[in-house]
Amino acid sequence: MNPSSTLSTPAPAHTSAALAPAFSGAANLILAVLSGRTLDAALADTLPSGALGSALRPAVMDLAYATLRSFGRGDFFLAQLMAKPVSDVQIRCLLLVALARLEARPEQAYVIVDQAVTAAAGIAAGNFKGLVNGVLRNFLRQQNDLLSRAKTNPVANFQHPAWWITRIKKDHPQHWQAILAAGNTHPPMTLRVNRRRTTSADFFTQLTKQGLAAQAVGELGWRLDKPVPVAQIPGFAQGLCSVQDAGAQRAAQLLEIAPGQRVLDACAAPGGKAAHLLELADISLLALDSDPARATLIADNFTRLGLHSERVAIRTGDAALPDTWWDGQPFERILADVPCTASGVVRRHPDAKWLRRPTDIDRFTRAQARIIDALWPTLAPGGKMLYATCSVFNAENDAQIAAFIGRHADAQRLPINAAPFEQLLPNADHDGFFYALLQKN
Ligand SMILES: C[S@@+](CC[C@H](N)C(=O)[O-])C[C@H]1O[C@@H](n2cnc3c(N)ncnc32)[C@H](O)[C@@H]1O
């Protein structure tokens, strides 16, 4: 995830007059996501460029995020309100957007209905204006009954796909409801101080001067009481800090690096954890990623944070094919922040929970095993590899590492806080992350 992305950026309050075009824009985004696009890709494709696009963007994003967070709910309401699905998918998406907004802002109910009808006038020659008006007014009339019926439908109630709910229940029988509830919240925005440029205390003073209240998380982290666009963060452009979730900040701490070590970050883009490693110690770092476009983000982040040096290399390559990028010199530390389902960060990517399929878990676990098996020979004896995911599915986490230990007689797990691994569950303080520290005998 790009630490400087706008995902944690709240939309400014938008006026009701702007709602109709924002509804149309959000409906187009939902349509793209339902056709299989990610929200980020859809956003780049569908929003008009230029002044109109940038003025509408915050409101459209706000609506699209809210609609996707509660998609299971909107879908349930539509099934209750309509005898058969609406034939025009764009109108269906517009209804989903308006229903999410009606639940979030009941005090604006009549403006919302009016603006949704205005938006419907621009779709399918306005043929569905009456239908949109009728469905939304029926929702308002039957709201109490619909809300209590939604409580009995797990997908509407927990706002995650049925298979996902089953999986989380099985993997986390004590915490499944809290995990699902956290997945529907607005994520916190946490900063990591670049200690090569400032101190945590001085940075906090700058935050306070800017009127930003924050709570300390760990040695170098500040969680903002209220997320703001990065442009409002003091010294962001000058590299005083990065946006990085408190759970992600654990990685560099757990890897226990020391000056002079040879370190590999095998899945490094956009470079959040790699930058943290470089801020902590004078190491030799190879930051590798298989995606060339994402690899350029590593360089951008290192530039902003002032971390480039002759001991830092950024390369594009497949971590599972070391022959194509490894010079044969063993690494003393490896960070394997592998691609995963991202089930621990769905509140930042609410499209993901509806785009994922149960088969994706197997696909990711196979890719992860291939990467860590290939990386293991590049680790020096006595060296440590930190395996990391932002997932809460056991198959990608504890089960993955148990199988790895079974395949590698020279591997042992090092305890983290006296436990065999660290599974952070998403909550108000941090996202969901998994860490296992492996040592080579
Ligand atoms: C979870 S993200 C890494 C986040 C990064 N460590 C950070 O903190 O900013 C996983 C990354 O793995 C990369 N990736 C996926 N498959 C890979 C492979 N076979 N080899 C190297 N990188 C891979 C993806 O492009 C993605 O950038």
Side-chain angles (χ1 to χ4, degrees):
M1 189 184 326
N2 183 349
S4 59
S5 84
T6 50
L7 291 181
S8 343
T9 307
H14 26 278
T15 61
S16 52
L19 270 180
F23 277 171
S24 304
N28 288 340
L29 285 181
I30 304 302
L31 184 61
V33 169
L34 294 186
S35 328
R37 303 282 289 158
T38 65
L39 189 50
D40 285 348
L43 197 60
D45 289 354
T46 63
L47 212 56
S49 55
L52 176 63
S54 51
L56 274 181
R57 194 182 168 98
V60 169
M61 280 179 71
D62 191 30
L63 288 164
Y65 272 78
T67 306
L68 288 167
R69 272 196 190 101
S70 63
F71 173 79
R73 228 171 150 66
D75 204 38
F76 173 81
F77 292 144
L78 283 186
Q80 303 289 306
L81 288 163
M82 304 183 72
K84 59 181 173 69
V86 59
S87 56
D88 188 297
V89 277
Q90 207 175 352
I91 289 290
R92 175 170 175 250
C93 294
L94 175 65
L95 284 167
L96 289 166
V97 172
L99 285 169
R101 185 75 175 179
L102 280 175
E103 271 214 282
R105 301 281 177 92
E107 74 286 358
Q108 295 181 352
Y110 289 97
V111 173
I112 293 169
V113 175
D114 175 68
Q115 291 292 296
V117 172
T118 303
I123 301 169
N127 285 337
F128 294 93
K129 276 167 62 183
L131 178 135
V132 167
N133 188 43
V135 169
L136 295 180
R137 281 178 193 278
N138 276 342
F139 173 78
L140 291 174
R141 268 193 290 273
Q142 301 172 30
Q143 196 166 9
N144 289 343
D145 181 39
L146 286 168
L147 295 185
S148 44
R149 266 189 272 162
K151 287 203 176 97
T152 65
N153 178 292
V155 178
N157 193 30
F158 295 112
Q159 301 174 50
H160 284 71
W163 68 266
W164 190 302
I165 298 170
T166 306
R167 191 98 189 190
I168 295 285
K169 259 186 190 175
K170 179 174 147 282
D171 287 357
H172 301 279
Q174 312 292 322
H175 305 288
W176 67 274
Q177 296 211 19
I179 295 171
L180 295 174
N184 295 327
T185 57
H186 289 258
M189 184 178 192
T190 303
L191 307 176
R192 184 192 75 236
V193 175
N194 178 1
R195 68 173 203 180
R196 292 196 182 264
R197 292 247 155 120
T198 183
T199 64
S200 193
D202 283 353
F203 182 70
F204 180 63
T205 307
Q206 298 225 33
L207 282 179
T208 310
K209 274 195 201 142
Q210 185 82 12
L212 299 174
Q215 314 303 318
V217 280
E219 251 177 73
L220 293 165
W222 290 100
R223 192 182 57 251
L224 299 182
D225 288 7
K226 201 165 165 290
V228 294
V230 288
Q232 288 174 28
I233 295 170
F236 183 83
Q238 294 71 36
L240 293 197
C241 71
S242 297
V243 178
Q244 189 182 42
D245 183 72
Q249 293 187 31
R250 288 288 288 148
Q253 293 152 3
L254 288 171
L255 198 53
E256 297 169 345
I257 49 166
Q261 281 180 337
R262 269 177 64 83
V263 182
L264 168 69
D265 183 343
C267 303
K273 299 183 186 77
H276 193 186
L277 291 168
L278 290 170
E279 289 164 12
L280 290 182
D282 291 324
I283 52 172
S284 293
L285 179 78
L286 172 58
L288 184 78
D289 202 279
S290 58
D291 182 332
R294 283 175 63 81
T296 63
L297 301 173
I298 308 176
D300 293 348
N301 274 317
F302 287 3
T303 302
R304 184 179 61 81
L305 295 163
L307 297 171
H308 286 291
S309 84
E310 70 286 352
R311 302 202 312 172
V312 173
I314 300 169
R315 284 196 65 168
T316 301
D318 183 344
L321 298 173
D323 286 352
T324 59
W325 49 262
W326 187 39
D327 63 7
Q329 303 263 354
F331 297 101
E332 289 149 297
R333 295 286 183 273
I334 296 177
L335 174 59
D337 188 17
V338 292
C340 71
T341 56
S343 58
V345 293
V346 276
R347 58 188 174 180
R348 296 189 192 274
H349 302 279
D351 47 332
K353 60 187 174 183
W354 308 109
L355 288 172
R356 291 259 175 266
R357 297 288 168 261
T359 48
D360 290 338
I361 301 179
D362 278 353
R363 189 168 55 78
F364 277 113
T365 52
R366 277 197 302 275
Q368 292 154 359
R370 192 175 148 255
I371 289 174
I372 52 178
D373 282 349
L375 291 177
W376 194 244
T378 73
L379 184 67
K384 294 174 189 172
M385 177 162 87
L386 183 70
Y387 174 83
T389 72
C390 54
S391 176
V392 289
F393 293 141
N394 278 350
E396 298 179 275
N397 296 343
D398 189 27
Q400 175 75 273
I401 293 307
F404 179 86
I405 295 282
R407 291 194 299 274
H408 299 271
D410 57 350
Q412 60 162 322
R413 286 181 192 235
L414 295 178
I416 301 177
N417 291 329
F421 55 81
E422 183 167 274
Q423 174 73 77
L424 300 177
L425 298 178
N427 62 24
D429 296 334
H430 53 68
D431 292 335
F433 276 92
F434 174 88
Y435 293 109
L437 190 58
L438 302 160
Q439 186 164 41
K440 194 182 237 185
N441 295 326

